[in-house]
Every structure is written in C-alpha cells, then in structure tokens.
Amino acid sequence: MKVGFIGLGKMGTGMVRSLLRAGHQVWVYNRTRDKAEALAKEGAQVAPSIAELCRASEAVFTMLSDDSAVENVVFSEGGLAASLAHGAVHISSSTISTAMARRLMAEHARRQQGFISATVFGRPDAAEAGKLLVVAGGPPDLVERLRPLFEAVGRQTLLAGGESWHANAVKLCGNFMIACVLEAIGEAMATLRKADVGPHRFLDVMNAFFGSPIYENYGRIISDERFEPAGFELRLGLKDIRLVLETAQECEAPMPMASLIRDHFLSAMALGQENLDWSSIAKVAARNAGL
C-alpha cells in the first residue's frame, strides 16, 4: 500500500522500518527533517509537507507525543484533515485522550475520510522488529482493509470495538496496568534491598512465577537501575496516567491506584526524572524507604 507516516520518534521510526520491510511504499514527514532523511536511506520517500504526504498516500499513520501535537498536525491549515483525500484513512497510533479520538472521528467523518485508532503495545525494540501488539478501534471492515499494515508492524491485531476511541481507552488502561507493575516492583525491591535480599535473586523468583515479559523486562531494568536511555520517558508516563484518570472521570469509575501512581510520577518529575525511563518511578519507592 501507499502509506504516509507522520512522527518519527523511537516508536515511529521502528514502525516505518517494519512497513518498508513488508514492501509498502512509505512517505515520511517529521518536524525535524533529519529524522526523515535518515529513513530515506532505507527506502522511504521524504515528503516536503503534510499536504504532499497526504496526496501520495492511501492511509496515513500518526505517531505523536500527545493531544497538542495531534491537534497541530491534523487541524492546522494545510494539515492532515484538510489534505487527506476522500476515502483515504487516518490511522492514529498516538496515545491520546478518548476525547481527542472522538474529535478526530467526527472531523474525518465530516470530510468523508476514514479514521481508525490503532494503538500499540511494545517498546521501541518491538517496533523495530515488527512485534508490536496492535489494538484497533473502528468499523471492522475498515480494520480488515488495513490489516496488511497492522500485520507489518505487529505480531497480532485485536479489535477493541466499533468506535475508534475504544482502542484509546484500552491503551490508556493497559498503560495504567503496566504502571501498576512498575510501582509494585519498585516497592517490593525497596523492601527486599533493606532486607538484604538481592534484587536479581528476587527477579529470578518472580520470572519463574509470572512468566511475563513485562515483569522480566522491567524487573531487569529496575534491578540494574538502568533508566537511560529511556524506552518510554517518565514524563509521557505521567501524561498517560493523567489521561486515564480523565477517562475514568468521564465514565464515573474511581481509579485510586491511578491517583497514587500519578502522585509518584509527579514526585519523580520534581526530582528531575522526566527524561528517564518511566520505570524509574521505582526510585520514588527507594527514596521513601530511605535508600
């Protein structure tokens, strides 16, 4: 397929490489042009503007940091909504609010364009390897039409529901659950360090018990205190927890654990951890334990 891709951070770059390996024709655009130029050496076409990218594409991915970045790309003059052809599709893989997803859905419907939320679970190395878990929200027939793209970037595609924002709700709640794991590992390891039990010994036990890549990968990062380079920055983790609390408020569903974790992310931000991996929330538990 002829695909556009806007947003070439760590995740976006890996997804573009996976699309290229699968044989898709990919046009790329990024505010920082050197990131796009680097992918040109691997077969991508660099678009001089969002409008030019849209004219060349049947479907356009966005992988951007937050609601504000999405708004600037989609709703600006000469942006994605104004430039995408009738019948072409915007695939939003950004972790954004459910309110923004509904706004995008309404705007694209008004312009007779398709819209799918295709959120992804996985770190940058999974994006590079085409091993993300894709969670799509939107009309099932449109999801099927785009399945070759999802299969290029992911190991499995699951449908969250017939409304695009359902996928965003799943993504936010999923990231909340990962954050709970990070908090739990941090608290447990702080206690065990004070009990003179080695964190790697504890990790061996938990890996044997849970058999989960989440526990294994993040447990290793926390045990090694290897929070740089960040696979997912803590400031973005705080953003996601804020968004899941907004969704919970919309649904009148209390999430007391999310409120606690938000406060711990804020503590970490106040102590300069914003650009560390979000698993560095474990440092908050360590400090609280006097370590």
Side-chain angles (χ1 to χ4, degrees):
M1 290 180 68
K2 296 179 179 179
V3 189
F5 207 105
I6 302 172
L8 302 176
K10 295 173 184 175
M11 293 293 291
T13 295
M15 291 170 71
V16 168
R17 287 176 174 148
S18 293
L19 289 164
L20 288 168
R21 282 197 307 271
H24 297 287
Q25 300 176 52
V26 186
W27 279 259
V28 294
Y29 176 85
N30 196 72
R31 186 177 56 182
T32 307
R33 188 177 174 88
D34 61 343
K35 293 184 178 180
E37 295 289 355
L39 286 166
K41 299 174 184 176
E42 302 179 39
Q45 302 292 318
V46 178
S49 66
I50 292 173
E52 289 293 329
L53 178 142
C54 289
R55 280 192 278 272
S57 305
E58 302 168 69
V60 176
F61 280 89
T62 52
M63 181 51 116
L64 302 162
S65 59
D66 54 26
D67 282 25
S68 177
V70 170
E71 180 163 8
N72 288 337
V73 163
V74 175
F75 295 100
S76 61
E77 184 178 352
L80 194 153
S83 304
L84 202 62
H86 287 185
V89 186
H90 174 198
I91 304 169
S92 172
S93 293
S94 309
T95 304
I96 55 175
S97 69
T98 51
M100 175 57 77
R102 289 191 293 270
R103 183 180 170 195
L104 291 169
M105 183 172 62
E107 180 68 12
H108 288 302
R110 184 178 73 83
R111 293 178 179 269
Q112 298 180 348
Q113 299 158 346
F115 177 67
I116 291 286
S117 284
T119 59
V120 297
F121 287 97
R123 288 170 70 87
D125 56 344
E128 289 273 359
K131 299 296 184 183
L132 296 169
L133 178 64
V134 180
V135 180
D141 58 335
L142 188 53
V143 173
E144 284 303 311
R145 173 180 150 195
L146 299 169
R147 187 171 289 274
L149 300 179
F150 303 147
E151 290 178 346
V153 302
R155 57 183 169 83
Q156 187 177 3
T157 300
L158 300 172
L159 185 64
E163 298 282 341
S164 58
W165 67 274
H166 291 159
N168 300 93
V170 169
K171 172 62 176 174
L172 292 171
C173 287
N175 276 13
F176 157 69
M177 291 184 67
I178 297 170
C180 287
V181 170
L182 302 181
E183 175 70 20
I185 294 172
E187 290 184 19
M189 287 194 173
T191 297
L192 288 164
R193 284 170 63 191
K194 296 199 79 172
D196 292 326
V197 176
H200 293 91
R201 189 182 302 274
F202 171 67
L203 182 59
D204 289 341
V205 175
M206 291 300 98
N207 285 336
F209 180 61
F210 287 108
S212 164
I214 297 293
Y215 279 89
E216 180 178 358
N217 295 335
Y218 281 116
R220 185 173 61 253
I221 290 170
I222 293 170
S223 295
D224 294 343
E225 299 184 19
R226 181 172 44 82
F227 303 122
E228 294 181 284
F232 185 65
E233 294 179 355
L234 186 138
R235 64 183 179 84
L236 298 176
L238 173 59
K239 179 263 297 184
D240 289 356
I241 292 298
R242 177 177 58 79
L243 292 181
V244 79
L245 283 166
E246 289 179 5
T247 300
Q249 184 170 333
E250 290 175 6
C251 299
E252 297 182 342
M255 295 185 75
M257 283 294 295
S259 297
L260 170 69
I261 290 168
R262 176 199 55 201
D263 288 349
H264 285 183
F265 275 133
L266 285 171
S267 294
M269 290 282 290
L271 290 164
Q273 294 175 218
E274 63 270 17
N275 295 319
L276 298 182
D277 193 85
W278 69 327
S279 58
S280 70
I281 192 176
K283 292 168 70 71
V284 175
R287 280 191 293 265
N288 289 345
L291 295 168

